[in-house]
Amino acid sequence: MTKPEQQETHDAIIIGAGVTGIFMLHKLLGMGMDVTVVEAAARLGGTWNKNRYPGCRFDSESYSYGYTFSKEIFEEWKWSEHFAGQPETLRYLEFVVDKLGLIDHMQFGCTVKTATYDEEGRCWHVELEGGRTLSARYLCTAIGLLSAPTLPRIDGMGDFEGESFHTYDWPEEEVVLAGKRVAVIGTGATGVQIISEIADKVDQLTVFQRRPNWCAPLHNSPVDDQTHEDFKSRFDEWVELIQASPSGFAHQPIIRRTKDVPKEERYAFWEELYASPGFGIWVGNYFDATLDPEANAEFSEFIARKTRERIDDPEVADILIPKDHGFGTRRVPLETRYYEQYNRDNVRLVDVSKSPIECITAKGIKTAEEEHEFDLIIYATGFDAITGAFDRMEIIGRDGEKLADKWMDGPQTYMGIQVPGFPNLLTLAGPQSASHGSNFPPAIEAVCGWACGLIEYMRDNGYETCEPTNAAHEEWEKSVREAYGNTLIPTAKSWFTGYNSNIEGHDKMRYLVYLRGAVNFRSELVDVSSNGYRGFDIR
Ligand code: NA7
């Protein structure tokens, strides 16, 4: 392949200016490299720029979601809530970029159309929408795990005369909710947040639920000055706590089997978890709660009881309690007064599993039983998770092989970071890494740090290309699959297991996530690098 003339050339190109892209840019610039970030949106922030729907906020503790690589940033930024909302998180990322002087290395409004490996030049050529091309030795994808929204495949969606959009495409300008008849389709983490937030702001809210999720209270609260000072004084301890946790949150699983704990004691502990903030209820429980079917069933029944207590109408409660999967086998939405919203007179729940949506009409949504009229339809229908953002651009490796074809039946990677046949492509936050199975930013700090170590090693030794061997990739694949088998995750259809009814072909299990936890993942990274980057073919 010949290099197009007058091409903009860098040492590295990072695609995406979100949490990952920002940190990777900072690291590579620190190594003295010439780097540019190309970002499709008009501003930085990635997920936290796009998800502007009402109620969007962290389910991670603010202090565990913020970067931990800089004590100065940790100390200077004061979170206003223990689980910050989207506007604050976006401001935080802008603060970090400003503090580190990164903005001049970012180009906005740049959607990548194709990225093609040039065997002869040992580099990547990136073509943007509009025709501009850039090239670099290293191509780093920082394109998010939930950044390819999927709309349902329902007839008549274009006929609706009111407003409608996917939560990811929530408009920047204000959306008037007061006095509106609103439909929300979808009750995942996004739907739960939006329903909780808007129920008392709209005239009527109708929720279309296909399958319920197990939700638990978030217990958010403001951060006062004293608490912030405490966090500042315990920075090292706090980072250690997060690093020691398999989930990357400020919670450790209890190393006791559920049935080994006397009944009274375990129920008292579960009450405590239900009354505590954050994901402790999911990842700070007895370790077998999401591994052993019996333990899982008992804990699920406990949550079902807690849920029923909050809903006035037992029939509505029954529809909201999952029957097809146990607690924690899908992503647990954390909520603030979610279930109480169904006690309001202006909120209605439609069970789509019993009363399927037939079509969208000019006026609203027609189910098998009724035609509902709306002013606004909100699609909280989720994402083509983890691999979707890769599929939306054309990535072409050695011998013209397309990444989308290679990954047709599921991703193939080594360490979740590289793909055989795609030299010098670093899939930061790519499939089969720990960043999806644990708190995202700490995992990404580890992955980016490791990838930079690899680049440094290549630079110091005069190497030009790196890609995994097929054998290493196959072994990794096997290990990722085996880890699924040790959990109850495969018993539930969700984005963790690669299902999405709105995409052709995504109706079978795909192994997208490294499930052995963040601590093991970091050990595997260290093991590989300290053994001469075992499994990588570096030339
Ligand atoms: P999720 O968790 O994938 O949830 C999507 C929801 O939309 C879920 O309730 C789906 O029902 C529902 N859905 C999807 N397609 C349809 C159709 N065609 N008809 C009816 N209902 C549908 O996405 P979220 O955006 O909520 O959360 C994604 C992540 O963002 C979350 O895990 C956090 O990490 C942040 P289903 O359960 O498939 O029956």
Side-chain angles (χ1 to χ4, degrees):
M1 178 170 186
T2 50
K3 184 174 147 184
E5 287 195 10
Q6 291 187 321
Q7 197 174 56
E8 184 183 321
T9 304
H10 300 273
D11 294 330
I13 296 169
I14 300 170
I15 310 175
V19 172
T20 310
I22 291 169
F23 181 60
M24 190 65 179
L25 173 63
H26 167 63
K27 291 286 293 179
L28 289 175
L29 289 175
M31 289 162 57
M33 287 179 72
D34 169 13
V35 194
T36 193
V37 172
V38 287
E39 162 63 55
R43 62 165 83 179
L44 62 91
T47 283
W48 299 104
N49 170 44
K50 288 293 291 173
N51 283 287
R52 289 166 181 266
Y53 62 84
C56 178
R57 66 174 60 252
F58 287 150
D59 284 346
S60 312
E61 304 85 9
S62 304
Y63 285 90
S64 78
Y65 195 93
Y67 295 113
T68 56
F69 70 91
S70 159
K71 191 172 181 187
E72 205 179 319
I73 288 174
F74 185 90
E75 289 184 346
E76 268 185 44
W77 182 263
K78 181 183 175 298
W79 294 102
S80 71
E81 293 177 281
H82 282 280
F83 301 87
Q86 173 270 333
E88 185 172 0
T89 309
L90 184 56
R91 284 199 301 278
Y92 166 77
L93 293 174
E94 286 166 350
F95 160 79
V96 173
V97 166
D98 190 40
K99 169 113 194 135
L100 301 174
L102 302 177
I103 199 79
D104 291 344
H105 302 275
M106 295 177 168
Q107 311 187 40
F108 298 101
C110 296
T111 303
V112 173
K113 201 170 140 203
T114 59
T116 311
Y117 183 64
D118 175 351
E119 185 83 61
E120 206 180 303
R122 294 181 185 78
C123 65
W124 283 88
H125 300 298
V126 171
E127 186 191 354
L128 306 176
E129 297 280 355
R132 190 155 74 89
T133 57
L134 303 82
S135 71
R137 168 142 301 159
Y138 299 100
L139 179 63
C140 308
T141 59
I143 51 183
L145 63 149
L146 298 162
S147 51
T150 46
L151 286 164
R153 297 184 281 186
I154 307 175
D155 286 344
M157 282 173 59
D159 299 341
F160 183 57
E161 286 169 356
E163 275 183 291
S164 65
F165 31 78
H166 191 283
T167 48
Y168 190 76
D169 295 317
W170 194 274
E172 284 202 31
E173 55 278 9
E174 195 200 349
V175 176
V176 177
L177 295 169
K180 296 266 174 79
R181 296 161 303 169
V182 179
V184 175
I185 304 181
T187 51
T190 303
V192 165
Q193 285 189 333
I194 204 165
I195 291 160
S196 309
E197 183 71 21
I198 69 171
D200 64 355
K201 300 184 176 62
V202 301
D203 182 37
Q204 289 166 34
L205 176 63
T206 309
V207 176
F208 291 82
Q209 175 192 269
R210 189 166 62 185
R211 285 181 304 158
N213 278 297
W214 295 100
C215 309
L218 175 67
H219 295 299
N220 193 14
S221 59
V223 175
D224 59 26
D225 290 347
Q226 184 53 50
T227 308
H228 179 60
E229 290 307 313
D230 283 353
F231 270 108
K232 275 168 67 173
S233 67
R234 291 189 294 118
F235 172 75
D236 293 328
E237 205 186 306
W238 180 251
V239 174
E240 242 173 69
L241 182 76
I242 292 166
Q243 298 266 318
S245 158
S247 61
F249 298 105
H251 308 282
Q252 276 285 357
I254 307 293
I255 309 301
R256 288 175 84 185
R257 284 184 191 283
T258 303
K259 69 174 172 16
D260 293 344
V261 182
K263 192 167 180 190
E264 206 173 307
E265 187 185 330
R266 66 177 183 258
Y267 277 80
F269 176 59
W270 288 345
E271 288 290 349
E272 212 179 282
L273 284 180
Y274 201 78
S276 303
F279 275 134
I281 196 143
W282 189 17
V283 296
N285 201 346
Y286 303 116
F287 78 95
D288 61 350
T290 49
L291 306 180
D292 173 59
E294 222 176 286
N296 185 258
E298 190 186 354
F299 186 65
S300 301
E301 193 39 53
F302 167 81
I303 297 289
R305 176 165 63 75
K306 299 299 292 180
T307 305
R308 272 193 209 100
E309 284 168 8
R310 296 171 55 187
I311 304 162
D312 294 345
D313 182 339
E315 278 180 32
V316 171
D318 206 49
I319 299 170
L320 288 168
I321 293 170
K323 314 285 185 301
D324 68 335
H325 67 282
F327 183 90
T329 58
R330 308 214 293 179
R331 190 340 188 135
V332 176
L334 295 183
E335 44 82 26
T336 303
R337 298 188 56 75
Y338 172 61
Y339 292 115
E340 285 76 6
Q341 305 305 345
Y342 293 96
N343 300 333
R344 298 177 58 88
D345 290 338
N346 69 330
V347 176
R348 207 178 142 191
L349 178 63
V350 175
D351 182 354
V352 172
S353 71
K354 301 243 165 60
S355 185
I357 296 175
E358 286 185 347
C359 62
I360 308 286
T361 65
K363 297 273 173 243
I365 297 177
K366 187 173 179 316
T367 66
E369 280 156 12
E370 197 177 336
E371 186 160 353
H372 305 255
E373 293 197 357
F374 297 112
D375 304 304
L376 169 63
I377 300 177
I378 300 168
Y379 295 102
T381 44
F383 297 87
D384 183 358
I386 306 176
T387 52
F390 288 91
D391 291 346
R392 291 188 183 194
M393 58 186 89
E394 197 164 64
I395 302 179
I396 305 166
R398 176 173 295 131
D399 301 327
E401 185 179 28
K402 293 184 179 162
L403 189 69
D405 292 342
K406 192 172 185 95
W407 285 4
M408 183 82 81
D409 294 323
Q412 299 178 33
T413 79
Y414 178 44
M415 314 292 293
I417 292 177
Q418 274 221 296
V419 184
F422 293 75
N424 296 0
L425 171 68
L426 295 160
T427 54
L428 313 169
Q432 303 181 338
S433 84
S435 39
H436 329 297
S438 66
N439 192 15
F440 190 73
I444 221 56
E445 285 185 45
V447 169
C448 293
W450 189 90
C452 288
L454 170 66
I455 292 173
E456 205 158 33
Y457 170 80
M458 290 173 63
R459 204 174 57 173
D460 292 351
N461 291 285
Y463 295 127
E464 292 185 327
T465 61
C466 172
E467 70 181 292
T469 64
N470 271 322
H473 136 67
E474 277 160 20
E475 204 181 305
W476 183 254
E477 185 90 1
K478 192 163 158 257
S479 153
V480 167
R481 274 170 196 257
E482 275 170 10
Y484 271 77
N486 298 334
T487 73
L488 295 175
I489 299 286
T491 61
K493 286 186 178 173
S494 76
W495 64 263
F496 277 3
T497 42
Y499 288 91
N500 186 323
S501 68
N502 303 316
I503 307 169
E504 196 72 47
H506 284 208
D507 53 357
K508 55 183 176 299
M509 178 96 172
R510 289 181 305 136
Y511 300 88
L512 300 178
V513 183
Y514 175 92
L515 289 176
R516 294 185 203 277
V519 179
N520 286 330
F521 188 70
R522 281 198 310 275
S523 306
E524 302 219 40
L525 289 176
V526 172
D527 183 46
V528 166
S529 53
S530 56
N531 282 291
Y533 291 94
R534 194 189 52 228
F536 287 98
D537 184 3
I538 304 180
R539 293 172 187 222

